[in-house]
């Protein structure tokens, strides 16, 4: 873990009285301290310098690019597309990834540093630092700080729970017992308690999945009734230090907020309160304030391109660094790209959305909070500047798709014969992928491959790069004479 910066004093809070903490929080409300230098540099040309690319402009960085990154990859929120750009950026710049032994860090259990391939605890010998931690995990800040420097850039992505529920029901129908027993999402949301049982295998996918992925504690009424034999690690919840805003720039591992432990990995829920008043809930507000102190930026799937522009600005990356293709999208579905709102939906669909948001009430609170913070940040950035950058990003994505891809778009997996580009198929829907154009130059082929490679194959590629397989040469033995 890297040294602590003296200017970063607040991401983790020491244990104090909950009453004092909530009093401080209610005073500051939902206020956010938003920062990030203006996007002053010209947007450079695409990585593939061809006639179809924009004319390269002068790229004079106004700040050094951030290369210590922690991305919480949430489920069914467009996170695979973000992961793709992180894979490409790290691969291109020779950065070192904190990789799982397989494809997830022991999910749905809380993240543990010991699950990082090649990780050695402090005092366990020299170890090259990690630059990027970005694969599926259930967030556990204390353990993350054993792996990543405290001044890393923390970010994640959220999605409207109504859209997330539709995607999750299709994708995890065979995994979640609640979804498996229900004939349809509408039937499930009409009477979720007829199918949902606290503690059942895979049922964390069926309710408040975002909240679960962020590693947050569930309120007492949502915890399993099977009992919790272990008392809370810290009976005194954390307090906001006086005179310190919600955001800061240092993580202090000696003043850690331990979420209240819950049984069965903390995801069992039995709440009868789907109509929780989000504004007056001190429990929810406190957890959102804690997330504000930890995460530098939270993207919103419904405003994916706007989020990418803000991400590039915050990281001091070029726009090219965040131009890419959508990954892990299901046929007939999608991952973001449309603003929240029920306009154009049938009355039945609007009712379904309302029920999904009520059932996933913690996720809805989380989503509303970060949607507001995103738009506050957009206001600070400048709407006209953002619109211009988003238009440029989309134009470059379209140019890349036409140049790299057969058909210029994602295809049904039946057309993908090259296993390097065939995405993992899971759930009831088909996961789309890409087929590369023939006749690309070697340079273009390399870049197009980076853009089209699915997350599992790219993880394997990075794994082989960081941990080259040892080739064992068999000993030569004398040939036995024939009998």
């Amino acid at each position: 873990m890297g040294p602590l910066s003296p200017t970063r004093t607040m991401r983790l809070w020491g244990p104090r009285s909950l009453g004092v903490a909530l009093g401080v929080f209610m005073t500051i409300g939902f206020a956010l301290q938003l920062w990030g230098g203006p996007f002053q540099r010209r947007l450079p040309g695409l990585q593939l310098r061809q006639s179809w690319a924009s004319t390269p402009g002068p790229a004079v960085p106004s700040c050094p690019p951030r290369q210590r990154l922690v991305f919480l990859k949430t489920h069914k929120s467009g996170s695979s597309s973000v992961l793709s750009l992180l894979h490409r950026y790290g691969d291109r710049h020779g950065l070192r990834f904190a990789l799982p032994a397989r494809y997830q860090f022991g999910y749905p259990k809380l993240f543990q540093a010991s699950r990082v391939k090649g990780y050695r605890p402090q005092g366990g010998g020299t170890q090259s630092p990690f630059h990027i931690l970005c694969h599926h995990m259930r967030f556990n800040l204390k353990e993350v700080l054993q792996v990543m420097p405290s001044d890393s850039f923390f970010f994640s992505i959220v999605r409207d729970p109504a859209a997330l529920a539709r995607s999750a029901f299709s994708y995890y129908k065979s995994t979640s017992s609640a979804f498996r027993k229900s004939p349809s999402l509408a039937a499930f949301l009409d009477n979720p308690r007829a199918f949902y049982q606290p503690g059942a295998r895979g049922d964390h996918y069926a309710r408040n999945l975002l909240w679960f992925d962020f590693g947050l504690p569930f309120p007492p009424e949502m915890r399993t009734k099977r009992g919790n034999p272990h008392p809370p690690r810290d009976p005194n919840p954390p307090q906001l230090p006086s005179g310190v805003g919600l955001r800061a720039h240092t993580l202090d591992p000696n003043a850690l907020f331990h979420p209240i432990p819950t049984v069965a990995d903390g995801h069992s829920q039995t709440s009868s309160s789907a109509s929780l008043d989000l504004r007056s809930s001190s429990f929810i507000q406190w957890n959102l304030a804690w997330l504000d102190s930890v995460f530098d930026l939270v993207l919103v799937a419904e405003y994916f391109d706007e989020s990418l522009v803000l991400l590039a600005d915050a990281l001091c990356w070029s726009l090219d660094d965040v131009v890419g293709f959508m990954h892990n999208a299901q046929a007939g579905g999608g991952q973001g790209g449309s603003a929240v709102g029920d306009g154009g939906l049938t009355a039945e669909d609007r009712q379904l959305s309302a029920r999904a948001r009520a059932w996933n009430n913690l996720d809805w609170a989380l989503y509303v909070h970060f949607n507001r913070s995103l738009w506050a940040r957009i206001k600070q950035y400048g709407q006209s500047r953002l619109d211009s950058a988003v238009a440029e990003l989309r134009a470059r994505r379209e140019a890349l798709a036409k140049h790299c891809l057969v058909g210029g778009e994602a295809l049904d997996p039946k057309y993908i014969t090259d296993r390097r580009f065939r995405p993992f198929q899971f759930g009831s829907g088909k996961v789309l992928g890409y087929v590369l154009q023939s006749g690309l130059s070697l340079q273009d082929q390399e870049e197009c491959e980076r853009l089209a490679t699915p997350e599992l194959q790219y993880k394997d590629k990075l794994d082989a790069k960081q941990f080259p397989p040892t080739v064992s040469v068999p000993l030569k033995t004398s040939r036995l004479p024939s009998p």
Side-chain angles (χ1 to χ4, degrees), residues 7 15 19-20 34 52 86 137 162 171 186 201 208 211 229 259 271 301 322 369 374 389 442 458 460 469:
T7 61
V20 175
L34 301 170
W52 47 268
L86 293 175
M137 62 175 164
Y171 198 78
R201 183 177 179 85
N208 292 316
W211 193 272
S271 173
V322 297
H369 178 76
L374 181 82
L442 290 178
Y458 216 134
D460 289 340

Side-chain angles (χ1 to χ4, degrees), residues 179-414:
F179 288 162
R180 188 167 56 248
K181 290 181 290 185
S182 177
S184 67
L185 178 61
F188 173 78
L189 292 174
D190 186 55
N191 186 15
R193 298 186 202 290
F195 308 101
Y196 179 87
Q197 293 185 357
R201 183 177 179 85
D203 273 6
H204 61 282
Y205 293 117
R207 192 178 192 195
N208 292 316
L209 180 55
L210 290 173
W211 193 272
F212 180 83
D213 283 354
F214 274 94
L216 296 172
F218 287 90
E221 68 271 18
M222 283 193 177
R223 294 180 215 153
T224 178
K225 292 182 177 179
R226 291 188 297 182
N228 186 354
H230 303 291
R233 299 178 187 174
D234 188 346
N236 299 312
Q239 175 187 333
L240 288 169
S242 59
V244 179
L246 281 179
R247 289 191 177 272
H249 298 277
T250 286
L251 298 176
D252 180 4
N254 298 314
L256 190 67
F257 169 40
H258 297 282
I260 301 170
T262 56
V263 76
D265 294 320
H267 63 270
S268 301
Q269 309 157 38
T270 60
S271 173
S272 60
S273 173
S275 59
L276 190 64
D277 185 346
L278 303 181
R279 291 184 178 275
S280 64
S281 170
S282 57
F283 174 84
I284 291 178
Q285 290 176 355
W286 176 250
N287 281 283
L288 296 178
W290 183 76
L291 291 180
D292 279 335
S293 76
V294 173
F295 287 86
D296 296 286
L297 177 65
V298 176
L299 316 180
V300 175
E302 282 71 22
Y303 303 100
F304 190 75
D305 291 342
E306 292 86 349
S307 296
L308 291 183
V309 171
L310 295 180
L311 178 65
D313 180 46
L315 297 179
C316 203
W317 288 8
S318 75
L319 195 66
D320 288 328
D321 292 324
V322 297
V323 174
F325 304 147
M326 298 301 290
H327 282 269
N328 208 32
Q330 298 181 68
Q335 296 180 342
S338 59
V340 176
D342 295 332
L345 297 179
T346 65
E348 184 179 357
D349 285 337
R350 286 195 297 271
Q351 187 178 50
L352 188 71
S353 294
R355 287 175 176 172
R357 291 164 184 160
W359 173 247
N360 297 284
N361 60 322
L362 297 179
D363 278 8
W364 180 240
L366 192 150
Y367 177 82
V368 168
H369 178 76
F370 285 118
N371 187 53
R372 287 173 178 165
S373 71
L374 181 82
W375 283 97
R377 193 158 186 154
I378 287 173
K379 183 177 180 181
Q380 184 187 53
Y381 181 85
Q383 186 68 56
S384 62
R385 292 172 60 228
L386 181 78
D387 292 343
S388 177
V390 167
E392 183 71 15
L393 182 148
R394 290 172 178 169
R396 296 184 182 204
R397 180 188 294 137
E398 183 179 357
L400 277 169
K402 289 181 179 178
H403 184 74
C404 291
L405 306 176
V406 170
E409 61 182 1
L411 300 175
D412 186 292
K414 68 182 180 182

Side-chain angles (χ1 to χ4, degrees), residues 42-59 92 318-321 392 396 400 403-404 441 443-445 447-448:
R42 274 182 62 92
L43 301 176
L46 292 167
Q47 293 294 329
L48 303 179
R49 311 291 189 189
Q50 301 295 336
S51 58
W52 47 268
S54 303
T55 302
R92 189 183 299 116
S318 75
L319 195 66
D320 288 328
D321 292 324
E392 183 71 15
R396 296 184 182 204
L400 277 169
H403 184 74
C404 291
S441 69
Q443 181 182 356
D444 288 6
Q445 180 77 21
E447 189 62 22
C448 291

Side-chain angles (χ1 to χ4, degrees), residues 41-209:
R41 55 194 177 280
R42 274 182 62 92
L43 301 176
L46 292 167
Q47 293 294 329
L48 303 179
R49 311 291 189 189
Q50 301 295 336
S51 58
W52 47 268
S54 303
T55 302
V60 182
S62 59
C63 50
R66 300 288 296 271
Q67 295 186 337
R68 303 284 187 181
L69 312 173
V70 175
F71 174 58
L72 175 60
K73 187 179 186 297
T74 53
H75 287 80
K76 310 314 297 174
S77 299
S79 61
S80 294
S81 302
V82 180
L83 183 69
S84 175
L85 69 88
L86 293 175
H87 280 165
R88 295 194 330 266
Y89 184 90
D91 188 19
R92 189 183 299 116
H93 291 84
L95 304 184
R96 192 164 184 259
F97 287 82
L99 297 171
R102 298 192 69 184
Y103 299 107
Q104 300 183 356
F105 291 107
Y107 187 89
K109 295 181 179 179
L110 288 167
F111 173 81
Q112 296 293 321
S114 60
R115 292 186 177 274
V116 174
K117 192 171 182 178
Y119 166 75
R120 289 188 291 273
Q122 293 181 4
T126 59
Q127 135 177 319
S128 301
F130 294 109
H131 295 93
I132 302 177
L133 173 64
C134 59
H135 293 86
H136 271 313
M137 62 175 164
R138 188 178 181 210
F139 192 64
N140 183 0
L141 184 54
K142 181 179 180 180
E143 289 292 311
V144 168
L145 290 176
Q146 299 299 314
V147 177
M148 297 299 297
S150 60
D151 61 350
S152 299
F153 185 91
F154 283 66
F155 71 111
S156 187
I157 185 169
V158 297
R159 186 183 188 184
D160 179 5
L164 193 153
R166 290 180 172 91
S167 180
F169 186 85
S170 171
Y171 198 78
Y172 296 115
K173 188 167 178 59
S174 64
T175 305
S176 165
S177 62
F179 288 162
R180 188 167 56 248
K181 290 181 290 185
S182 177
S184 67
L185 178 61
F188 173 78
L189 292 174
D190 186 55
N191 186 15
R193 298 186 202 290
F195 308 101
Y196 179 87
Q197 293 185 357
R201 183 177 179 85
D203 273 6
H204 61 282
Y205 293 117
R207 192 178 192 195
N208 292 316
L209 180 55

